[in-house]
Amino acid sequence: MELRQVDYFVTLAEELHFGRAAERLHVVQPAVSQQIQRLERELGVQLFDRTRRRVTLTRAGERLLPEAYAVLASVKRAVDTVTDLGEGEAPVLRIGTTEGLGERLDVILAKLRELRQDVQVSLHSVPNWSRLEQVRDGQLDAALVRLVKNRKGLDLIPVWEERLVAVLPAGHRLAGKPALALRELAELPLRLVPREANPAFYDFVLQACRDAGFEPRLDAPFTTLQNTFAEIGMGQASWTLMYEGIVGTVVPKRVAFRRLLDPEVRIPTSLAVRSVTPLLENLAEACRFAAEQTATPRA
């Protein structure tokens, strides 16, 4: 059994589609079929049931999958251990970041430097789904992700929960309050990112509104911070939600940011890693430290 075969097996088990597996592995589809068939011959069992319409794991495939994950994780730990030694060079930690971290990112990097002075950091800003793929494929060592509960082949380390704040016209009567209950915003249309752009956030916000007792009226979609804030401040009265970390990074013009009194409207953030190493434990510690240092009182 070759390591490549294990990698191909895990990828196909996750995708259950030869074409998508080949795309993830950056090979042609017949190469995936050949390696899987070779692995099945060597093991003497069939790992996948294949029909013209679907691919599914057999019982043998289901039993092999956790062991295959363990093999890949073990290899990754071995590589990370050697990389951490650096052979005289500082190891580079590749981190996928997300929007709206604000001051928290600076604190993370400062604390990590305190914990590991030998480490260089390379930051990568990529979409949420791509961050997870790049961690799993080894292009990133870790990524900060929001609203991700589980993902095959990855460890998710919880690091903080983040409050959402309401954005509304500065001249609206509700802006005269220091904090708002979500249900008070029911009278205004909501501007929200299209679901296909961020389904987890879209579903979270709609469910929060429903839990608060109303079905929001959707307005034009959220586009960019600059354009959306300008339209909220100057156009027909509307509102949106944003991560609290963004507040300190923008200068509000004709819009107001207001805390929400609903305690459950908080977004969980995790550190996605392929396997936990001492260096990544240091990064997780730095993230938790940053969360404590930049936390705001609960509404």
Side-chain angles (χ1 to χ4, degrees), residues 244-279:
E244 189 173 44
I246 295 178
V247 173
T249 67
V250 296
V251 178
K253 293 182 178 180
R254 301 186 179 89
V255 297
F257 304 130
R258 292 296 178 264
R259 292 184 299 110
L260 293 174
L261 297 170
D262 309 69
E264 69 280 2
V265 186
R266 294 172 180 270
I267 300 290
T269 299
S270 301
L271 190 66
V273 301
R274 191 167 179 175
S275 61
V276 180
T277 67
L279 177 54

Side-chain angles (χ1 to χ4, degrees), residues 281-295:
E281 288 177 348
N282 291 149
L283 176 59
E285 180 181 347
C287 289
R288 295 191 187 99
F289 176 82
E292 294 172 358
Q293 294 299 305
T294 59

Side-chain angles (χ1 to χ4, degrees), residues 78-109:
V79 172
D80 289 339
T81 299
V82 174
T83 301
D84 278 358
L85 291 176
E87 295 184 352
E89 297 181 2
V92 177
L93 184 62
R94 302 160 300 172
I95 306 173
T97 60
T98 185
E99 72 284 351
L101 295 176
E103 179 190 1
R104 191 163 289 180
L105 181 58
D106 292 335
V107 179
I108 291 172
L109 297 180

Side-chain angles (χ1 to χ4, degrees), residues 97-137:
T97 60
T98 185
E99 72 284 351
L101 295 176
E103 179 190 1
R104 191 163 289 180
L105 181 58
D106 292 335
V107 179
I108 291 172
L109 297 180
K111 184 62 176 179
L112 182 60
R113 174 62 63 87
E114 177 185 322
L115 295 171
R116 290 291 298 266
Q117 296 182 6
D118 61 319
V119 173
Q120 296 181 10
V121 173
S122 176
L123 300 179
H124 301 259
S125 180
V126 291
N128 202 51
W129 64 268
S130 183
R131 260 175 274 144
L132 292 167
E133 289 293 327
Q134 290 188 27
V135 172
R136 185 163 54 188
D137 294 344

Side-chain angles (χ1 to χ4, degrees), residues 13-61:
E14 292 175 347
E15 296 294 343
L16 295 178
H17 187 282
F18 279 91
R20 291 195 299 269
E23 184 176 351
R24 264 184 57 190
L25 292 164
H26 307 293
V27 298
V28 295
Q29 185 170 327
V32 179
S33 299
Q34 292 168 7
Q35 291 299 326
I36 295 300
Q37 290 170 3
R38 182 178 174 186
L39 179 60
E40 289 177 327
R41 286 197 302 270
E42 291 179 1
L43 295 177
V45 295
Q46 185 174 343
L47 300 173
F48 295 93
D49 283 324
R50 309 162 178 83
T51 67
R52 295 184 63 181
R53 293 191 175 184
R54 59 184 300 193
V55 177
T56 58
L57 280 167
T58 63
R59 185 176 179 184

